[in-house]
Amino acid sequence: VTYNYKHMRRQSVNSIEVARKAGVSQATVSYVLNNREGQSISAQTRQKVLDAAQELKYRPNKLADGVLRRKTSTIALIASWLGSDFHSSVTKGVCEVLNADGYHTFVSWAKLDPPQQAAEVELLLQHRVEGIVYISDGNHPQEHAAAWLRPAVEEGIACAVIDDRSNGDFVDSIVSDDIAGARMAVEHLISLGHRRIGFWSAVWGSSTYGDRFEGYLQALRLAGIAVDTKLCAQFPTNARLTAIELHRFLAITDPPTAFFCGSDISAMIVRHAAEDTGLRVPDDLAIVGYSNQDYAAFNDLTSVSQNSAEIGRAAARLLLERLKHPERPPVVERVATDLVVRGSTVPQPKRSRFDWPDPGSGQA
Amino acid sequence: VTYNYKHMRRQSVNSIEVARKAGVSQATVSYVLNNREGQSISAQTRQKVLDAAQELKYRPNKLADGVLRRKTSTIALIASWLGSDFHSSVTKGVCEVLNADGYHTFVSWAKLDPPQQAAEVELLLQHRVEGIVYISDGNHPQEHAAAWLRPAVEEGIACAVIDDRSNGDFVDSIVSDDIAGARMAVEHLISLGHRRIGFWSAVWGSSTYGDRFEGYLQALRLAGIAVDTKLCAQFPTNARLTAIELHRFLAITDPPTAFFCGSDISAMIVRHAAEDTGLRVPDDLAIVGYSNQDYAAFNDLTSVSQNSAEIGRAAARLLLERLKHPERPPVVERVATDLVVRGSTVPQPKRSRFDWPDPGSGQA
DNA sequence: GTGAAAGCGCTAACAG
DNA sequence: CTGTTAGCGCTTTCAC
């Protein structure tokens, strides 16, 4: 019985052919190409092999290597959405650290749907990735948004979840310090003299938004300001509903003079709804957003900046640690945030507008 | 000589163990698990195998499969930047089509640097991906931005480049129809009565921006309006320089009453620079952007919308075609664009603001 | 210093 | 219907 592969397209040159061409054994080729230490190779042989490989355009097969050595040096990063500064920076941070450690990171797009996400994980594991980073979609109101990761974790796969700590009981989690960030934002408003401060969040449910609310509460408490739940909007909504809702908010006795918003887009919506009703920002209504997306800069929006690249790097570091110490209990790491003050809370000189992102970066 | 793997961590259950547990041969396990047609398996045997696989939590090894069958069913997508609606939608489009055809798409982040990009390609080929999609960074002023892809193409790897047709001589390219899009935008301005229309582009050099300029010229010519190069700014710049430059532009005799900008961010910068000098938009100066990013909506910016998901789908379709017909000459495909009219060219009723993107989508 | 041989986990050809 | 066997491309052990 001969194995007949004639019907298959020969895909590439293999190390046997290199060996033949160089007049050495396959093992020698392997020694040379992998620079295996503890193996001495004569300079002459080495050169012969190198030349042969070059001439034949030999390309090592990582699959075969992975099968044999049971090591692929690949990590997968799963995300349901990639289109924001946040995701892009996080991804870059993750890649940076993992690459430096000899890993290659593949980003995998998966629909925001637990069965599909589970299927994606299964596929990645069939490809024998050594670890999985998941960037949660913080906007989705579900506890344990990454429950579908649990089986992988329990089988000993190194995993890390970004931007959702509600799975912190079983998997390493990295979040920006949303409590501190929110507190910072609200303390900023308080320091400007505001006492009636509203909380406005477009979504509600993930740990991320819960933390931002918690930070809001803490800041008020620390300042001795009574919390008025009438000032807190905690529901998914859209631009049209926001306008209606905002009217209701501002019609109460003793209405808010400032809003802390759970996201930049919520802040933008609130801002425009307010301006449409004739209010001036920041004089009549001060507004703070969250995330400091690019557009916060050219909409002059005060916002809490998450150190997103650092979040990515922290996730990668945790993953590498996990690979080394599979049995260590799961860790939740919080990455510090900054407050970027702009004209939606404090009137700014015009020149501040010159600090916008350069049009040469990013996509047109 | 026995091959001693004892020092290695056993990574997972293999099909031999499943076979043993089910009391059948390894081949039978393969037949059952791959549902190979033309092979009949008794219901009883099938069930035994399925049970054994389940109990042992058997996970097929795609690497071994790839080595043997010389087929990985994986495609790589290389991007230097992911943080925009454009990239996210394109990626989604690519994945959609390729997944439907049984492929899995891995996104690979690579620094915008030819040697590094070449290295990335090499690595991907070592992983035996069957094809490569590259999303060009349209903002970078280099001809043949994907020259580093040429070796791969010449070796017969299926490749496709998105958003840059300057490599169209050797690789399949998919761009949005920037000429038509730009023409549409400028014709819109002309139809509003503008005759002195400026072209403002933050970057210059990639085919993308060249096409936008070309569309601008075409529209003027078709309307019988003389092109005045004094109205065309074609250089990389930043917000501060823009303000200075804009002053110069508006100080000439017979200054422009409208600007067509090569990107949304350029448009935003021009808009704010104009407003800072006391001009009102759109009355004193009408402005059109390009790309229709999310923030164009809540900055009431008229913009040309690229059908980005369709661009991704088209790229994937071209790649699949290329896999089937390796020898076909390269193709350049243009995907149609739309013009979204907003308040920066035509005063809009307030309610148009209610059409903003929903805060529930995307990242906070 | 170098090579022969074993075998990673899998599928395909062919025999029964 | 099912099993035997060869071998994908590679690395590593061990002998020379």
Side-chain angles (χ1 to χ4, degrees), chain A residues 5 11 59 62 68 70 104 107 120 122 126 128 139 155 209 272 276 291 299 353 356 362 364, chain B residues 5 11 59 62 68 70 104 107 120 122 126 128 139 155 209 272 276 291 299 353 356 362 364:
Chain A
Y5 277 116
Q11 205 158 279
R59 182 151 32 225
K62 291 256 183 215
L68 186 56
R70 298 200 187 88
H104 190 253
V107 182
E120 187 66 29
E122 173 61 23
Q126 292 187 2
R128 296 300 187 265
N139 278 320
E155 284 180 57
Y209 285 88
H272 281 284
D276 279 354
S291 281
N299 281 288
R353 285 190 174 156
W356 287 346
Chain B
Y5 276 117
Q11 204 160 280
R59 183 153 29 227
K62 291 256 183 216
L68 185 56
R70 298 198 187 92
H104 190 253
V107 182
E120 187 67 30
E122 173 60 24
Q126 292 187 4
R128 296 299 187 266
N139 279 320
E155 285 183 57
Y209 286 88
H272 281 284
D276 278 355
S291 281
N299 281 288
R353 287 191 171 153
W356 287 346

Side-chain angles (χ1 to χ4, degrees), chain B residues 47-344:
Chain B
Q47 199 52 51
K48 271 194 299 187
V49 171
L50 257 25
D51 289 348
Q54 176 119 49
E55 262 182 80
L56 295 174
K57 294 194 188 182
Y58 169 70
R59 183 153 29 227
N61 186 329
K62 291 256 183 216
L63 303 177
D65 186 86
V67 173
L68 185 56
R69 300 218 339 271
R70 298 198 187 92
K71 171 122 185 77
T72 55
S73 296
T74 54
I75 306 277
L77 190 158
I78 303 182
S80 304
W81 168 253
L82 298 167
S84 79
D85 321 338
F86 179 74
H87 289 85
S88 192
S89 304
V90 167
T91 304
K92 251 167 93 169
V94 170
C95 292
E96 238 176 63
V97 172
L98 291 179
N99 288 356
D101 226 69
Y103 285 89
H104 190 253
T105 312
F106 289 105
V107 182
S108 218
W109 174 79
K111 230 164 128 182
L112 196 61
D113 167 55
Q116 288 221 28
Q117 288 166 315
E120 187 67 30
V121 168
E122 173 60 24
L123 190 62
L124 293 170
L125 294 181
Q126 292 187 4
H127 280 285
R128 296 299 187 266
V129 299
E130 296 182 32
I132 297 179
V133 180
Y134 171 59
I135 308 191
S136 156
D137 184 321
N139 279 320
H140 272 255
Q142 2 173 164
E143 276 298 312
H144 296 290
W148 41 271
L149 256 183
R150 192 188 280 272
V153 173
E154 281 169 356
E155 285 183 57
I157 312 297
C159 295
V161 173
I162 290 177
D163 212 22
D164 184 350
R165 61 176 180 73
S166 68
N167 311 280
D169 53 318
F170 70 91
V171 66
D172 292 330
S173 307
I174 304 88
V175 295
S176 73
D177 195 343
D178 286 314
I179 298 183
R183 207 170 52 209
M184 226 182 258
V186 177
E187 280 167 355
H188 166 64
L189 291 170
I190 294 172
S191 78
L192 294 171
H194 294 281
R195 287 296 171 272
R196 299 287 288 166
I197 301 171
F199 176 76
W200 194 286
S201 174
V203 224
W204 186 250
S206 74
S207 71
T208 296
Y209 286 88
D211 284 354
R212 292 175 194 172
F213 187 50
E214 174 61 26
Y216 162 83
L217 296 176
Q218 283 187 12
L220 294 184
R221 268 194 229 110
L222 285 170
I225 299 175
V227 173
D228 183 349
T229 53
K230 287 200 304 298
L231 301 187
C232 303
Q234 308 163 8
F235 47 87
T237 182
N238 64 24
R240 191 181 304 267
L241 288 177
T242 297
I244 299 169
E245 206 58 33
L246 190 69
H247 277 121
R248 200 162 22 221
F249 266 65
L250 299 174
I252 66 175
T253 50
D254 205 6
T257 61
F259 270 111
F260 166 58
C261 300
S263 69
D264 283 337
I265 189 157
S266 295
M268 288 305 302
I269 290 176
V270 169
R271 172 183 206 149
H272 281 284
E275 287 174 345
D276 278 355
T277 66
L279 295 176
R280 282 163 319 159
V281 174
D283 301 323
D284 302 323
L285 192 68
I287 295 174
V288 182
Y290 207 106
S291 281
N292 193 33
Q293 305 246 37
D294 276 355
Y295 61 76
F298 46 81
N299 281 288
D300 217 12
L301 182 68
T302 296
S303 188
V304 178
S305 164
Q306 319 184 52
N307 200 338
S308 40
E310 180 54 28
I311 292 177
R313 285 190 292 263
R317 279 191 300 257
L318 274 186
L319 198 84
L320 292 173
E321 277 309 303
R322 170 68 52 204
L323 285 168
K324 277 177 216 135
H325 312 289
E327 303 305 341
R328 209 179 50 165
V331 171
V332 175
E333 184 167 331
R334 291 168 200 271
V335 176
T337 56
D338 299 306
L339 181 71
V340 181
V341 176
R342 299 204 183 85
S344 70

